Every structure is written in structure tokens, then in C-alpha cells.
Amino acid sequence: FTLSINDERFGAEVVDCVWSIVSPCSNGLYTAQYTCYDAGKMYIYVYFLKDKIHDSPFTSIVKRGSMYGPKSKAKGKGLSEAQVGEPSYFTILSYDQFGNKVSLCQNKTSFSVILTSNHPVVYGSLLNCTEGNFL
């Protein structure tokens, strides 16, 4: 058997998916496994020798993972400057562990925003979330 996975965005074989035949044939059944590291709509082509099996290709929607702190980013003016007595803002951009943009909002209590200086520690808070971006 041959398995190839194509991404509709590029029309080419996806290198960010790994597949293998997991189990040897048992009563005519094979088990295949694949792991993708990129989100999107994928087409799975299964061949026996050079012929596609019935109903191949199959469509699979690979969903993004949960937000992963080490891959997520922050940007905005509030990270580099502030005005006394005025609120400062920055945005947190959510990414999963493989660098895919996360569009779902996480629980605000999962975050800590702490500012330190020569003065007492100040704790900040998240205001809102839009498509996985926090303000």
C-alpha cells in the first residue's frame, strides 16, 4: 500500500505529515496512522500497487492545537513604552506547539501579566480576546 497526503492550498504532497502502516495484515485489514503538524484541509490518497482504492482520495480536516506559550508572541507599543497615569496596551498572538495560528480564545485566568521595576510589582490583566488575539 502507498499513502500520500496532499494539502488543498498547495496541491502538493505535504511534508508536515508523517504516516506509516501500523499493523500487519490481519484478516485482510490494515491499520494506517498519520500525524500532521500543519492545520488545514488534507486529501488522503490510498493506493494498492498503482491503483487508488475505492473512494480515494479521502478528505481530512486537520485542526489546530491548543495555545502553546513558547510559540505564542506579544506585540504592541505597551511592551516598550507607557505614560504615567495612562493605560498601556499590547497584544498576545496565540500559536500552537507547531506554529499554527490559534483562533480560539483561551481562559483569561491562564495568563499572568507582571510588571517589575524599582517600585512595587504591578499586576496587569487581559481585557478581551478576538480570534485568539488577547489585548
Side-chain angles (χ1 to χ4, degrees):
F1 284 94
T2 304
L3 176 93
S4 75
I5 301 174
N6 291 31
D7 184 333
E8 77 169 349
R9 294 171 295 178
F10 307 110
E13 190 162 330
V14 177
V15 295
D16 281 344
C17 290
V18 178
W19 73 273
S20 63
I21 298 292
V22 174
S23 67
C25 179
S26 174
N27 295 325
L29 301 176
Y30 295 85
T31 301
Q33 171 183 311
Y34 66 96
T35 304
C36 291
Y37 302 99
D38 192 15
K41 187 176 187 179
M42 307 292 175
Y43 296 98
I44 302 169
Y45 293 82
V46 181
Y47 296 89
F48 177 71
L49 300 175
K50 294 185 181 201
D51 297 316
K52 285 191 278 183
I53 68 167
H54 181 70
D55 289 338
S56 180
F58 304 91
T59 304
S60 177
I61 304 298
V62 180
K63 298 177 184 177
R64 291 171 175 83
S66 298
M67 182 177 175
Y68 182 64
K71 291 284 185 171
S72 296
K73 303 172 184 176
K75 69 175 189 175
K77 191 174 181 179
L79 293 171
S80 59
E81 61 183 70
Q83 178 71 37
V84 171
E86 297 291 326
S88 296
Y89 302 94
F90 62 92
T91 302
I92 300 168
L93 307 168
S94 305
Y95 292 89
D96 70 12
Q97 65 180 340
F98 301 107
N100 296 300
K101 180 77 176 88
V102 175
S103 58
L104 298 176
C105 294
Q106 308 296 312
N107 187 333
K108 290 195 293 186
T109 60
S110 299
F111 292 88
S112 299
V113 179
I114 303 170
L115 300 105
T116 61
S117 68
N118 294 334
H119 302 285
V121 172
V122 177
Y123 294 91
S125 61
L126 298 176
L127 298 179
N128 63 41
C129 177
T130 305
E131 295 184 358
N133 297 325
F134 292 87
L135 178 65

